[in-house]
Amino acid sequence: MKAWEKNIRKVVPYVPGEQPNQPDMIKLNTNENPYPPAPGVVDAIKSFDTDRLRLYPDPTAKILVDALAAEYGLKPENIFVGVGSDDVLAMIYLTFFNSDKPIFFPDITYSFYDVWADEFRVPYEVQPLNDDFTINKSDYYKENGGVIFPNPNAPTGIIMELSEIEDIIQANPDVIVVVDEAYIDFGGVSALPLIEKYDNLIVVQTFSKSRSLAGMRIGYAMAQPKLIRYMNDVKYSFNSYTMNQLTLAAGAAALADRAYFDETRNKIIATRERTKKELAALGFVFGDSKSNFIFASHPKVSAEELMGALREQNIYVRHFTHPERIRNYLRISIGTDAEMDALIAFLKNYLA
């Protein structure tokens, strides 16, 4: 080993969902929205003045921040934006998780949480989910350096009631509590109203799922102004121009079309509920997902076998091998009705 190699910051990287590019494939492995962005987004992109690309974008992302503030009934100073919710969450780690006490998050959850902790040298302690994959709120009453969890959780899709979330916040007045709501638009109640009540709460959301803009990378945090100022201080010290011109225009346009947002979101919810019934009839077991995916296991056929069989048919789903107790589960994103019909038809034949 070279001497300089001893000083390399080494981490086990996050493994993103596979991005295959096969003709006629059914892609149900990365929780993308199966419907196109709002028509206004298309218009904003087509009419975009490309001469603006020679100019730096507005570092404050005002057009997008103002649109988000109007959408949620907040003030611009309540909002922080970044390149997808991953960027926003990374900024939260850098800004707030600097204690020598461990941060807490579930043992089965978004697998980027421990990667960031390792990368930024943040001590952490995972709290085991209950057997039914629900969060045990009392696990988060111990002394810690911060709390973060998704709601609905990923990859389980299980929702936590707002009253239980508030209990966790109340039990942790001296640290930052982050509720990662990447999937909240597909079911459950957002913790957003609680930011007025608690000055240590940050709610994070994204355009990647319910607004069909995973390819544009837009995430945002909502909190009291003091927390947003601290995050912006770190962001401007790291990269002042995180949001590009085209993304800002597309994001603002997406927020302008509430009717389309509701229409496509409701389609996904309806398809999810129908798919639950079909999977249950085939013997699958799963929690009551309130996200745009279903985390399912079959008692007679291993998840690894099913994933391989589906892949042979160009149907892609996600399989996690860690931790051990979810090894027999598949995460199945909700696609269009036609895509889910094809999935169910294959499973009926394979499991017959």
Side-chain angles (χ1 to χ4, degrees):
M1 178 184 290
K2 298 287 187 180
W4 54 263
E5 289 185 89
K6 297 176 182 178
N7 298 315
I8 293 175
R9 186 175 294 253
K10 296 177 182 178
V11 295
V12 177
Y14 169 76
V15 179
E18 185 181 2
Q19 293 290 347
N21 186 20
Q22 303 291 334
D24 302 321
M25 69 178 178
I26 297 177
K27 191 170 182 293
L28 307 175
N29 68 324
T30 50
N31 299 341
E32 293 150 325
N33 197 308
Y35 301 107
V41 173
V42 178
D43 293 341
I45 292 173
K46 286 182 177 179
S47 62
F48 183 80
D49 179 7
T50 55
D51 184 58
R52 289 167 55 193
L53 295 178
R54 65 183 176 81
L55 305 172
Y56 284 112
D58 174 11
T60 69
K62 178 176 171 55
I63 183 175
L64 180 58
V65 168
D66 286 350
L68 283 164
E71 172 72 12
Y72 292 103
L74 300 172
K75 295 178 181 178
E77 50 264 38
N78 291 119
I79 295 168
F80 174 94
V81 296
V83 185
S85 58
D86 290 341
D87 179 45
V88 174
L89 291 166
M91 288 298 112
I92 289 171
Y93 269 65
L94 281 171
T95 306
F96 300 109
F97 294 162
N98 294 295
S99 168
D100 56 359
K101 299 171 185 175
I103 64 170
F104 288 173
F105 48 81
D107 65 333
I108 300 172
T109 193
Y110 186 31
S111 52
F112 230 137
Y113 292 163
D114 60 346
V115 173
W116 285 316
D118 289 337
E119 183 172 5
F120 300 139
R121 303 299 189 260
V122 177
Y124 67 93
E125 182 181 304
V126 297
Q127 306 302 318
L129 295 182
N130 296 321
D131 290 341
D132 62 356
F133 293 153
T134 57
I135 288 175
N136 184 351
K137 65 180 181 180
S138 63
D139 287 341
Y140 297 83
Y141 295 171
K142 301 173 290 186
E143 190 174 15
N144 63 74
V147 173
I148 181 170
F149 57 88
N151 197 49
N153 196 11
T156 66
I158 303 296
I159 196 79
M160 191 178 203
E161 295 299 325
L162 192 59
S163 60
E164 294 191 318
I165 292 174
E166 187 165 13
D167 286 346
I168 291 175
I169 300 168
Q170 289 176 338
N172 291 279
D174 299 323
V175 300
I176 296 299
V177 177
V178 183
V179 183
D180 183 357
E181 295 186 340
Y183 302 99
I184 196 64
D185 291 326
F186 301 109
V189 179
S190 173
L192 181 59
L194 297 179
I195 68 170
E196 290 299 316
K197 190 175 179 180
Y198 299 99
D199 63 1
N200 63 325
L201 172 64
I202 303 175
V203 176
V204 177
Q205 295 188 14
T206 177
F207 281 55
S208 294
K209 317 301 182 186
S210 58
R211 297 192 185 274
S212 305
L213 285 175
M216 277 294 187
R217 313 307 299 128
I218 303 173
Y220 52 105
M222 297 171 285
Q224 290 199 10
K226 179 186 285 189
L227 300 187
I228 300 302
R229 287 198 300 272
Y230 286 141
M231 289 181 66
N232 275 320
D233 286 345
V234 172
K235 170 188 172 180
Y236 295 146
S237 300
F238 185 76
N239 183 356
S240 299
Y241 303 107
T242 56
M243 306 295 291
N244 68 66
Q245 298 268 25
L246 192 58
T247 295
L248 292 173
L255 289 165
D257 197 338
R258 181 74 194 191
Y260 183 84
F261 167 75
D262 287 334
E263 176 189 352
T264 53
R265 174 184 61 170
N266 290 336
K267 278 184 183 179
I268 291 167
I269 292 171
T271 303
R272 179 192 70 204
E273 294 306 305
R274 181 175 67 83
T275 303
K276 285 180 183 177
K277 293 177 182 178
E278 298 275 13
L279 289 174
L282 290 172
F284 284 90
V285 293
F286 46 85
D288 186 20
S289 174
K290 296 299 182 183
S291 58
N292 68 336
F293 57 84
I294 299 169
F295 195 56
S297 176
H298 199 282
K300 295 182 179 180
V301 185
S302 73
E304 187 174 6
E305 177 186 335
L306 282 173
M307 187 179 75
L310 287 164
R311 184 183 290 253
E312 290 180 1
Q313 302 299 311
N314 263 355
I315 301 174
Y316 289 82
V317 296
R318 190 84 188 265
H319 179 223
F320 298 91
T321 58
H322 180 78
E324 181 66 29
R325 62 180 172 142
I326 64 170
R327 182 178 288 272
N328 202 43
Y329 282 80
L330 294 176
R331 193 191 68 188
I332 305 168
S333 302
I334 301 301
T336 63
D337 282 327
E339 289 173 330
M340 303 315 288
D341 286 344
L343 169 77
I344 295 300
F346 171 77
L347 291 173
K348 282 180 177 178
N349 181 67
Y350 190 81
L351 296 171

